[in-house]
Amino acid sequence: TKGSASDTQTFTVTVVTVAETDTEAVAADKAALAIGYAAGDSASSVTQNLTLPTTGSNGSTITWSSDTPTVVANDGTVTQPAYSDGNATVTLTATITKGSASDTQTFTVTVVTVAETDTEAVAADKAALAIGYAAGDSASNVTQNLTLPTTGSNGSTITWSS
């Protein structure tokens, strides 16, 4: 502007954001971290291998460790426990690292047993087998009919001979 004359000039500038720090990258990757489950599986019912990410979208490196590597290996390979051992609760720890920044995140999963085998069912039914005595009777004093189960709670067929 000079006197009564004026004019306008427009300039376009681009403001660049400050580069993300390693700490910010680790925090963002930790917040987004998730275990991948096979179809039909979830954290409370694992039967198949897990997908454990090894890199974050912000450039972090992710390493995994399992407190029960015989059930869930550090690479996510799952070995279901035997039916007689029961379900296994496993804690997986992810270590997220970028540069000198590092943090951890834990996940708990339950790996369910394999199906009961016929041998295990028969053994369990044998262990639970009992003769039913009428009131006042016992193994050393039988005066009334006995109750002899013909099926076990695990599906075994029971036959008796005398």
Side-chain angles (χ1 to χ4, degrees), residues 34-52 71-72 76 78 80 87-90 92 107-113:
I35 292 175
Y37 297 97
D41 280 7
S42 67
S44 61
S45 179
V46 174
T47 62
Q48 301 169 69
N49 292 342
L50 302 171
T51 301
L52 304 177
V71 177
V72 179
V78 171
Q80 288 178 268
N87 295 343
T89 300
V90 178
L92 296 166
F107 298 86
T108 302
V109 297
T110 301
V111 180
V112 297
T113 64

Side-chain angles (χ1 to χ4, degrees), residues 107-132:
F107 298 86
T108 302
V109 297
T110 301
V111 180
V112 297
T113 64
V114 293
E116 180 180 45
T117 66
D118 290 345
T119 301
E120 289 169 323
V122 168
D125 286 344
K126 178 184 175 185
L129 189 60
I131 295 174

